[in-house]
Amino acid sequence: MSTETKSTIQQEREESFIKISKSLMETKNLGKNGELDIYHLAIIKSLANNFQGAAFTGVIHMMRFIGMSTEQSSTKARTKESLLRLQEMGHIEIYENLAMESMVNDLKPANNYFIKPIGKDEEESGFAKVFYKDIQKIIAMKSDYRPKVFATYLNMIGNIFYSVSNSPISYTAIDTIVRNTGINRKSVVEYLKVLHEEEILYFIHFHINNSTTKNYCTRWLHKGHTAEWALPLAEFHYKTGKGKFKGGAIGVSDEKGAS
């Protein structure tokens, strides 16, 4: 491992992150608004990084924080239902006061509450590292589809394994993300491209043969090493040497076949 490679990995080790259970990557199993629930959970966990271990937030505050209009009653209702659903699933606990002695089962949109993340399933199912820098960039995006973008992001980075022997790279297939999230394939490709354009994830792809194109990605921090880490993986996965690759490029391929 080169000195430069060590420096990017060391920089990442010094970054703050939250844990999201890998059991939540299959957002389609969480119901109609599953990706909204996971997006809210990520934001609550980010806000709860304090000595209380709780986020002081509520329906209106959450909507303003992520840039949603607070004028529509339907949006308020959807946000409220999402927070209560997260509590029902056991991922958060919502309290009226700092003593956090009795959970509330209804929310007044104008009020803020002490919302405590529980960390359910993180040890049993494993967890994805969601770095603050990444979630901040997603929140700042000018898009109405940020929860879906986040669900796509979570599925890609959820398969990065952090260990001494593994490079922090992901090669989750587009079709896997489609199955896990229920988001249509065209949109998943679009969201992956947005993650690249917003400098959150860095993608390269190889044309392995005349019928296979494969994406590999890292966090943007490691863009100088993505190809270096991806090449031996591609050779191993497809049992062929790089000399037999038909080409490749920076960016997201739709993985439907080499052009």
Side-chain angles (χ1 to χ4, degrees):
M1 190 179 288
S2 69
T3 302
E4 186 181 358
T5 302
K6 285 182 180 177
S7 71
T8 62
I9 291 177
Q10 183 59 43
Q11 287 175 47
E12 187 172 67
R13 286 174 181 159
E14 294 169 359
E15 287 187 42
S16 296
F17 64 88
I18 59 173
K19 298 176 182 179
I20 297 290
S21 171
K22 289 186 179 182
S23 68
L24 299 175
M25 289 165 60
E26 296 187 33
T27 52
K28 71 174 184 181
N29 294 335
L30 302 176
K32 181 180 177 182
N33 294 309
E35 58 279 329
L36 180 63
D37 295 349
I38 306 313
Y39 187 51
H40 284 156
L41 179 61
I43 293 168
I44 288 166
K45 278 178 163 274
S46 299
L47 294 173
N49 187 25
N50 53 51
F51 73 96
Q52 297 165 340
F56 186 59
T57 187
V59 173
I60 297 296
H61 179 263
M62 181 75 72
M63 292 170 68
R64 285 177 177 154
F65 186 82
I66 61 180
M68 296 173 66
S69 170
T70 60
E71 301 303 317
Q72 295 182 327
S73 57
S74 60
T75 308
K76 288 180 189 176
R78 192 161 59 245
T79 303
K80 172 182 172 178
E81 289 164 7
S82 177
L83 296 177
L84 291 173
R85 194 159 49 243
L86 282 169
Q87 177 166 257
E88 184 179 344
M89 289 189 293
H91 292 287
I92 62 173
E93 293 175 350
I94 307 173
Y95 300 94
E96 274 191 316
N97 54 52
L98 185 55
M100 291 189 276
E101 294 172 340
S102 180
M103 289 191 292
V104 298
N105 297 308
D106 194 18
L107 303 178
K108 296 178 180 178
N111 291 3
N112 283 344
Y113 299 85
F114 291 90
I115 305 181
K116 181 180 178 181
I118 301 306
K120 181 184 176 184
D121 298 332
E122 289 174 3
E123 299 306 321
E124 296 85 350
S125 303
F127 59 85
K129 286 184 178 182
V130 176
F131 290 86
Y132 282 101
K133 288 182 180 178
D134 294 352
I135 187 66
Q136 286 168 352
K137 285 183 178 181
I138 293 173
I139 291 170
M141 286 170 46
K142 306 241 181 253
S143 170
D144 292 332
Y145 301 101
R146 283 168 291 183
K148 293 182 184 293
V149 173
F150 181 76
T152 303
Y153 161 87
L154 180 63
N155 269 266
M156 188 58 74
I157 59 97
N159 289 312
I160 295 178
F161 296 96
Y162 290 90
S163 71
V164 174
S165 59
N166 288 309
S167 299
I169 189 168
S170 176
Y171 42 90
T172 305
I174 287 172
D175 288 337
T176 299
I177 300 174
V178 172
R179 284 195 302 272
N180 284 350
T181 63
I183 301 170
N184 70 69
R185 201 178 196 283
K186 182 179 178 181
S187 294
V188 168
V189 174
E190 178 187 338
Y191 300 151
L192 291 175
K193 289 180 178 179
V194 167
L195 288 164
H196 183 90
E197 291 163 4
E198 295 290 336
E199 301 186 355
I200 298 167
L201 298 179
Y202 186 83
F203 287 85
I204 65 164
H205 57 269
F206 297 125
H207 302 323
I208 309 300
N209 50 45
N210 288 328
S211 61
T212 303
T213 308
K214 183 64 181 170
N215 290 314
Y216 292 83
C217 97
T218 63
R219 294 186 62 234
W220 194 265
L221 173 71
H222 302 304
K223 66 178 183 176
H225 308 292
T226 313
E228 169 196 344
W229 296 338
L231 188 56
L233 284 173
E235 290 180 311
F236 174 77
H237 292 153
Y238 295 96
K239 306 295 187 289
T240 186
K242 63 181 179 181
K244 295 185 179 179
F245 288 7
K246 304 298 182 181
I250 295 170
V252 178
S253 162
D254 64 9
E255 294 187 339
K256 284 186 176 178
S259 57

